[in-house]
Amino acid sequence: MEVLPYHNLYVGMIETLESIFEKGDYSDKALERTFKKNRLWGSRDRGFVAEMVYDMVRWKRTIDFASANALRKRHYWDFIAAWIVMNDGRLPDLEEFKKVKAQKIKGNYLQALRIPAIKHSISDELFEIGQNELGDQWITELEAMNQAAPAVLRVNTLRTNEKELKAELLDKEIRITKLKRFPDAYVLVEKENLFLTEEFKKGYFEMQDANSQLVAPFVEVEPGMRVADACAGAGGKSLHLAALMENKGNIVSMDIHQWKLNELKRRAKRAGAHNIQTKLIDSTKVLKRFNKSFDRVLIDAPCTGLGVLRRNPDAKYKLDKATLERVLVEQKEILETYSKLLKPEGILVYVTCSILPSENSEQVKTFLSNHPEFTLLEEKTLMPAETGFDGFYMAKMTKKA
């Protein structure tokens, strides 16, 4: 583990970790604020701080155990020191690290490895949830999701093609490699901030996990169709649908949060996706106007996000049984409500980024038992350990004439 020796980097780390652990801020937003505050940091400094922060968030419980509960005491220097020692790194020659007892940390860490929930850095409650639903597979999935996620991009065919994008990035010494089985997916070979590139600003690509890129094709859209993206959020799936439809037809991207739809509009403009219309769902009256009016309805449902913990390690410490129960009720209501938007003989697709059967196949099974007019055509479960990418569930149903 390479460790940089500069005091101000650790001060920045501590401010970021305080924001995440004590105020509940998301890691990316907390880091963004830290970088704005420290504009003189070079790319190597920022990369070091970001990697350390994400790793310490991911392994929070394990580190806290090894550091003898440093977080509870708000001893952030000890917390950072424990992570460095656990990874056989050399502690910088800084005053705050002088009294660190490395052997004690290593002993505590060995003890942590014997307690599954602490070893995999999740709460006892979340460990129990996963074990109850997935059995022995849960450990395998946790091991996969505790690895850093690869940076994957999707070529935006509305703006460019794979050959041109690859060539333009290569001119900037940015190398990407084609992923087999994924039509428009490339993985970044070395860490780069692609958001600063001119190609990103021109909408040539979107950052999107490889398994996430399988959702839009699963919907079986065609140019000219009328499509509803029922829980569109910031619009990642809507943008992909627009590309597959070649900007022909109409996509109505719906959400209950206007700020998410505003972000979708901004992204759609950059991507050149002109067939997207946003719709704020602030009452049931809005949805009644859309009854039986869509050829395709995509429900990318709110979920626990247990399939994307590699990208959102913060979520590991916010999920509990009460959260799961609330999500299950919400998913059932959304399926009931938005399935009414589908035309007869249309296709309804239900998607989550969770790997729990209770949120996935069991929800669909219950829906189908209550709605005999719907028939299951296909379902897929994509597990992180098996695929190397994010976890997703997809179910495709059709409505009888």
Side-chain angles (χ1 to χ4, degrees), residues 27-73:
S27 300
D28 57 344
K29 298 300 181 185
L31 276 167
E32 189 179 324
R33 283 197 301 273
T34 299
F35 292 156
K36 284 182 179 178
K37 187 177 178 181
N38 297 276
R39 295 183 184 277
L40 296 180
W41 286 356
S43 59
R44 189 182 180 210
D45 297 332
R46 291 194 299 272
F48 172 67
V49 170
E51 186 173 356
M52 285 282 286
V53 166
Y54 276 116
D55 283 345
M56 287 187 286
V57 170
R58 182 172 287 110
W59 296 103
K60 173 186 173 185
R61 190 179 184 193
T62 316
I63 301 169
D64 200 37
F65 188 92
S67 65
N69 303 319
L71 283 185
R72 295 181 198 175
K73 305 167 191 172

Side-chain angles (χ1 to χ4, degrees), residues 10 13-14 52 56 76-84 97:
Y10 296 93
M13 270 184 226
I14 289 170
M52 285 282 286
M56 287 187 286
Y76 281 91
W77 285 95
D78 291 345
F79 183 79
I80 294 171
W83 177 239
I84 294 172
F97 291 136

Side-chain angles (χ1 to χ4, degrees), residues 205-232:
F205 65 88
E206 292 289 333
M207 301 306 297
Q208 186 176 7
D209 175 76
N211 281 344
S212 177
Q213 293 188 39
L214 296 177
V215 173
F218 192 74
V219 183
E220 293 186 21
V221 292
E222 295 176 10
M225 281 186 170
R226 185 165 164 79
V227 179
D229 186 356
C231 305

Side-chain angles (χ1 to χ4, degrees), residues 87-281:
N87 286 276
D88 299 320
R90 184 176 178 179
L91 287 170
D93 186 21
L94 299 173
E95 188 63 35
E96 289 84 354
F97 291 136
K98 296 291 187 187
K99 296 180 181 179
V100 171
K101 297 177 181 178
Q103 289 306 118
K104 179 66 174 176
I105 291 170
K106 290 179 180 179
N108 290 344
Y109 180 47
L110 289 175
Q111 186 179 347
L113 297 179
R114 293 193 285 269
I115 308 169
I118 299 177
K119 175 184 177 180
H120 296 289
S121 194
I122 60 173
S123 69
D124 294 334
E125 193 169 0
L126 181 55
F127 186 82
E128 183 183 348
I129 290 171
Q131 200 165 43
N132 287 342
E133 296 216 26
L134 296 171
D136 294 340
Q137 189 181 5
W138 178 229
I139 294 291
T140 304
E141 296 304 329
L142 281 175
E143 289 172 349
M145 290 188 291
N146 272 327
Q147 306 301 313
V152 181
L153 57 87
R154 176 180 61 80
V155 178
N156 177 21
T157 54
L158 294 176
R159 291 289 198 198
T160 187
N161 58 55
E162 297 178 22
K163 185 178 179 180
E164 289 179 3
L165 175 62
K166 190 173 183 179
E168 288 204 25
L169 291 178
L170 196 57
D171 284 344
K172 295 180 171 62
E173 299 184 352
I174 298 174
R175 292 186 298 130
I176 55 177
T177 303
K178 184 77 172 67
L179 287 174
K180 296 178 181 178
R181 300 184 299 106
F182 301 92
D184 300 313
Y186 277 86
V187 65
L188 189 63
V189 176
E190 296 175 357
K191 289 181 180 178
E192 297 280 353
N193 190 346
L194 291 177
F195 296 112
L196 298 178
T197 63
E198 196 62 31
E199 288 72 23
F200 178 75
K201 294 173 184 176
K202 290 189 292 187
Y204 286 4
F205 65 88
E206 292 289 333
M207 301 306 297
Q208 186 176 7
D209 175 76
N211 281 344
S212 177
Q213 293 188 39
L214 296 177
V215 173
F218 192 74
V219 183
E220 293 186 21
V221 292
E222 295 176 10
M225 281 186 170
R226 185 165 164 79
V227 179
D229 186 356
C231 305
K237 309 294 190 308
S238 290
L239 296 179
H240 198 181
L241 289 168
L244 293 176
M245 294 169 66
E246 301 171 4
N247 259 339
K248 299 169 185 174
N250 180 228
I251 299 169
V252 181
S253 301
M254 308 174 184
D255 205 272
I256 60 173
H257 300 291
Q258 185 61 53
W259 66 270
K260 291 184 179 181
L261 294 177
N262 291 342
E263 173 65 8
L264 192 161
K265 288 179 185 177
R266 188 183 67 80
R267 293 177 70 188
K269 183 178 180 181
R270 185 183 68 229
H274 306 307
N275 64 335
I276 295 176
Q277 169 193 351
T278 60
K279 197 69 179 176
L280 178 68
I281 307 303

